[in-house]
């Protein structure tokens, strides 16, 4: 279970998060929406302890990200970064199996390669991709390799930062289905950032909309169409007119 | 008028504060990096790769620098020495100057230009493209995985590089001495050996190790704290080579005093 209380984060004069409250039950899928630059990625990085918040508390199953054993804490997570963040000095298969190639109980290279190929198949990529380097892949392929890496070690909590951005609609559908499967089959807790309404509808149990550093609206996915919230309405119906200014 | 002075003072104050802040950050980073050298796990594969990229591939640059410097040095010392009929000092002074000072300093500067920059650009790009964040999320400490192997590789290979460079530099002096200045070949070599002391070589190699440490440390530090975007990486690269070079000169003076 992830609990966020009154989270604040500013970069210099740029106040990004100004009191976020959020609550995600174990095994549930939360989708976060909101305009670009509203701090959605920053929020995920705060939970992972990659960015230190200015104030507020975060607890993941009762544990604060920045106290205690970082390795134990991070081992429960998988994260797909917005830009993929693949290691360009390593071939695709080593990227995917990276976590499993470290430490005392590391996999053999053959096993790690086989596991990478299996994960590639799940994200809709051929086995040949395993031996390429990230620079040889298209943007959409890099995104899917990032996704394969995020799920490789069967984490209990998975964060997806814009998993379908840059993918064609068919591939986006494949990825949506995959995320849903991971939540249902593996019982993982998921947080997904997206601008893609098809992802919202297919992946979410819960939806939270962030606007001007706060949670503007949150609730079950079934309620988003008649929320009565003008901000949410404008966002999900992609209207240029409304309370959210187009110039930000 | 008062406003102008006020603004001026404020600016001095601010830049002094930010300088102290950067020095503090660098000291913290150094302490952290060194502490990770001694705590497992150590990434041997990454270390082996760095031995090649930092050490082996720097050989041509260090060798050529030393060769030409040794040659020029022989000419200069001959021209100076002949003013008081002391041409015979050429071999020994070339050797001493090369081994104690020019080998490590020029080698250090060349490697700083080659290695500090490339480390800073690589780590900076990794920072900007969130690869360093990704490493952390995959339960791998970037200080251990990226920084420690580079620092150890540079600290260990610089003395070897400089030793080879010293030898080539002395050879450059020998070639000019024998080929151009009509020294007798065996006399030249004997004079080189007889006057060179163990301390000369030793002090040069200690310098080289320190410079290697500085080169990798500053490269890693600049890249690790790179600003955002292409411009951030560009600035990180630039400040890496400038800072590393200045620190090489400064520590060279301190080390020379210590061995004096
Ligand atoms: N490391 C950082 N340093 C300074 N500013 C940052 C940093 N990361 C994000 N920001 C700023 O925080 C704001 C929110 O960014 P982000 O969370 O990436 O937005 P998004 O909601 O589109 O994911 C942006 O204005 C961005 O410029
Ligand atoms: Mg984002």
């Amino acid at each position: 279970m992830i609990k966020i209380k009154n989270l604040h984060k500013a970069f210099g004069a740029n106040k990004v998060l100004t009191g976020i409250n959020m609550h995600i039950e174990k095994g549930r899928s939360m989708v976060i929406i909101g305009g670009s630059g509203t701090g959605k990625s920053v929020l995920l990085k705060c939970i992972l302890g990659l960015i230190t918040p200015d104030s507020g508390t975060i607890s993941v199953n009762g544990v604060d990200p920045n106290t205690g054993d970082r390795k134990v804490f991070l081992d429960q997570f998988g994260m797909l970064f917005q830009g993929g963040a693949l290691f360009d000095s390593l071939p695709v298969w080593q990227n995917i199996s990276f976590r499993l190639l470290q430490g005392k109980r590391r996999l053999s290279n053959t096993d790690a390669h086989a596991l990478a190929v299996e994960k590639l198949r799940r994200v809709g990529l051929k086995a040949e991709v395993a031996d390429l380097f990230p620079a040889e892949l298209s943007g959409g392929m890099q995104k899917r390799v990032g996704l394969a890496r995020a799920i490789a070690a069967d984490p209990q909590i998975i964060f997806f930062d814009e998993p379908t951005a840059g993918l064609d609609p068919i591939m986006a559908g494949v990825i949506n289905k995959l995320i849903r499967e991971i939540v249902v089959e593996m019982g993982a807790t998921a947080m997904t950032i997206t601008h893609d309404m098809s992802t919202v509808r297919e992946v979410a149990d819960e939806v939270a909309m962030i606007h001007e550093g706060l949670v503007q609206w949150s609730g079950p996915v079934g309620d988003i169409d008649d929320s009565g919230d003008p901000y949410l309405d404008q966002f999900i119906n992609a209207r240029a007119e409304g309370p959210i200014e187009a110039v930000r | 008028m008062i406003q102008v002075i006020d603004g001026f003072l404020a600016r001095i104050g601010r830049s002094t504060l930010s300088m102290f802040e950067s020095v503090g950050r660098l000291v913290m980073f150094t302490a952290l990096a060194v502490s990770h050298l001694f705590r497992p796990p150590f990434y041997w594969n990454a270390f082996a790769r760095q031995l090649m990229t930092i050490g082996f591939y720097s050989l041509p640059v260090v060798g050529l620098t030393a060769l030409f410097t040794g040659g020029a040095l022989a000419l200069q010392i001959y021209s100076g020495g002949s003013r008081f009929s002391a041409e015979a000092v050429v071999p020994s002074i070339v050797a001493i100057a090369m081994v104690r000072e020019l080998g490590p300093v020029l080698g250090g500067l060349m490697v700083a230009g080659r290695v500090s920059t490339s480390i800073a650009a690589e780590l900076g790009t990794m920072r900007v493209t969130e690869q360093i964040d990704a490493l952390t999320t995959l339960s791998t400490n970037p200080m251990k995985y990226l920084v420690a192997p580079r620092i150890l590789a540079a600290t260990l290979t610089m003395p070897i590089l400089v030793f080879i460079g010293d030898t080539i530099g002395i050879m450059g002096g020998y070639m000019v001495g024998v080929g151009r200045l009509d020294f007798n070949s065996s006399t030249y070599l004997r004079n080189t050996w007889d006057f060179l002391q163990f301390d000369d070589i030793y002090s040069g190699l200690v310098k080289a190790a320190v410079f290697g440490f500085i080169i990798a440390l500053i490269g890693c530090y600049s890249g690790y704290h790179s600003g955002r975007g292409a411009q951030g990486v560009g600035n990180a690269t630039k400040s890496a080579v400038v800072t590393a070079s200045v620190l090489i000169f400064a520590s060279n003076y301190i080390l020379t005093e210590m061995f004096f």
Side-chain angles (χ1 to χ4, degrees):
Chain A
M1 185 161 83
I2 304 174
K3 262 192 209 151
I4 299 161
K5 275 208 200 99
N6 202 20
L7 195 71
H8 285 72
K9 178 68 194 176
F11 296 100
N14 179 10
K15 293 198 173 67
V16 180
L17 304 177
T18 55
I20 297 274
N21 291 294
M22 210 176 260
H23 195 125
I24 303 148
E25 294 294 333
K26 189 172 183 313
R28 302 285 285 175
S29 170
M30 164 74 90
V31 168
I32 298 173
I33 56 177
S36 317
T38 48
K40 304 181 297 297
S41 301
V42 169
L43 175 64
L44 291 194
K45 286 184 188 171
C46 285
I47 301 175
L48 288 166
L50 297 171
I51 292 180
T52 317
D54 300 333
S55 65
T57 57
I58 297 170
S59 110
V60 178
N61 300 323
V63 179
D64 181 285
N66 290 305
T67 58
D69 190 335
R70 284 288 282 157
K71 182 167 159 40
V72 171
F73 180 81
L74 289 166
D75 273 345
Q76 48 186 340
F77 284 94
M79 164 95 183
L80 165 65
F81 284 86
Q82 190 169 352
L86 300 176
F87 305 129
D88 37 32
S89 59
L90 301 178
V92 164
W93 71 271
Q94 286 185 27
N95 264 282
I96 295 175
S97 305
F98 190 88
R99 194 196 286 277
L100 304 159
L101 286 165
Q102 316 296 327
K104 293 199 178 62
R105 302 208 321 267
R106 73 173 73 91
L107 292 185
S108 71
N109 280 358
T110 344
D111 289 347
H113 193 279
L115 181 128
V117 169
E118 153 64 16
K119 299 292 172 188
L120 281 173
R121 196 186 52 71
R122 287 203 77 177
V123 297
L125 287 170
K126 297 207 189 80
E128 293 93 86
V129 174
D131 299 309
L132 300 177
F133 279 85
E136 298 172 278
L137 308 178
S138 74
M141 288 162 90
Q142 291 182 6
K143 203 66 186 244
R144 284 182 280 158
V145 172
L147 193 61
R149 182 173 70 183
I151 61 174
D154 299 330
Q156 293 137 38
I157 306 169
I158 317 188
F159 291 169
F160 303 100
D161 198 342
E162 305 198 9
T164 58
L167 301 186
D168 64 70
I170 299 172
M171 201 41 74
V174 170
I175 298 303
N176 288 340
K177 210 165 134 245
L178 173 69
I179 295 177
R180 191 67 225 174
E181 269 170 32
I182 290 167
V183 174
V184 174
E185 283 169 23
M186 296 171 23
T189 310
M191 277 177 89
T192 309
I193 295 174
T194 191
H195 297 294
D196 180 345
M197 286 315 293
S198 73
T199 303
V200 177
R201 292 181 200 282
E202 282 182 56
V203 164
D205 295 317
E206 242 77 49
V207 177
M209 177 175 178
I210 297 188
H211 181 66
E212 293 193 336
L214 294 166
V215 176
Q216 170 68 32
W217 184 89
S218 70
V221 65
D223 293 354
I224 56 172
D225 289 310
D226 38 27
S227 63
D229 186 298
Y231 293 86
L232 183 65
D233 275 345
Q234 184 189 354
F235 193 88
I236 63 178
N237 296 311
R239 282 197 290 264
E241 289 82 34
I244 308 175
E245 296 195 23
V247 181
R248 268 172 273 144
Chain B
M1 185 63 195
I2 287 176
Q3 269 169 353
V4 172
I5 295 177
D6 217 34
F8 183 67
L9 288 179
R11 205 149 63 217
I12 292 184
R14 253 198 307 278
S15 53
T16 311
L17 278 182
S18 92
M19 196 188 83
F20 277 119
E21 196 185 309
S22 333
V23 170
R25 268 205 315 185
L26 178 58
V27 170
M28 294 279 289
F29 185 87
T30 312
L32 197 62
V34 170
S35 79
H36 279 294
L37 286 174
F38 299 104
R39 277 185 288 161
F42 189 77
Y43 294 93
W44 292 102
N45 285 344
F47 173 65
R49 228 184 359 252
Q50 293 307 321
L51 280 183
M52 286 305 282
T53 41
I54 296 178
F56 188 72
Y57 292 118
S58 296
L59 262 177
V61 127
V62 171
L64 285 172
T65 309
L67 182 70
F68 292 122
T69 307
L73 207 54
L75 292 176
Q76 297 282 32
I77 293 166
Y78 186 88
S79 122
S82 63
R83 287 173 209 171
F84 35 96
S85 316
E87 297 90 340
V89 297
V90 168
S92 47
I93 306 250
V94 165
I96 289 170
M98 213 53 222
V99 166
R100 288 183 70 110
E101 184 75 15
L102 293 174
V105 172
L106 292 182
L109 290 176
M110 294 310 283
V111 177
R114 194 185 162 274
V115 172
S116 293
T117 47
S118 90
I119 292 180
E122 187 180 359
L123 266 60
T125 306
M126 292 186 74
R127 164 65 70 200
V128 169
T129 57
E130 301 180 315
Q131 291 179 54
I132 293 186
D133 285 341
L135 264 183
T136 309
T137 346
L138 292 165
S139 310
T140 301
N141 190 328
M143 282 304 232
K144 279 196 187 352
Y145 187 77
L146 297 173
V147 176
R150 283 170 173 76
I151 290 185
L152 192 63
T155 311
L156 294 181
T157 53
M158 262 311 273
I160 301 173
L161 277 173
V162 165
F163 186 80
I164 297 171
D166 288 349
T167 316
I168 295 176
I170 291 173
M171 249 173 52
Y174 166 86
M175 276 151 59
V176 170
V178 172
R180 171 104 165 63
L181 304 172
D182 295 330
F183 273 89
N184 173 282
S185 162
S186 60
T187 320
Y188 192 103
L189 286 180
R190 186 151 22 82
N191 277 348
T192 300
W193 281 129
D194 285 356
F195 287 93
L196 207 53
Q197 290 170 357
F198 174 73
D199 272 3
D200 300 329
I201 299 174
Y202 171 74
S203 73
L205 297 186
V206 170
K207 282 181 177 181
V210 172
F211 299 165
F213 179 81
I214 290 173
I215 287 165
L217 176 79
I218 298 298
C220 289
Y221 173 81
S222 308
Y224 203 82
H225 296 284
S226 165
R228 307 171 82 202
Q231 206 169 23
V233 178
N235 281 333
T237 310
K238 177 192 68 190
S239 83
V241 68
V242 173
T243 313
S245 307
V246 171
L247 284 180
I248 285 176
F249 282 123
S251 62
N252 178 55
Y253 177 73
I254 296 168
L255 288 166
T256 310
E257 276 284 3
M258 280 165 58
F259 286 111
F260 191 67

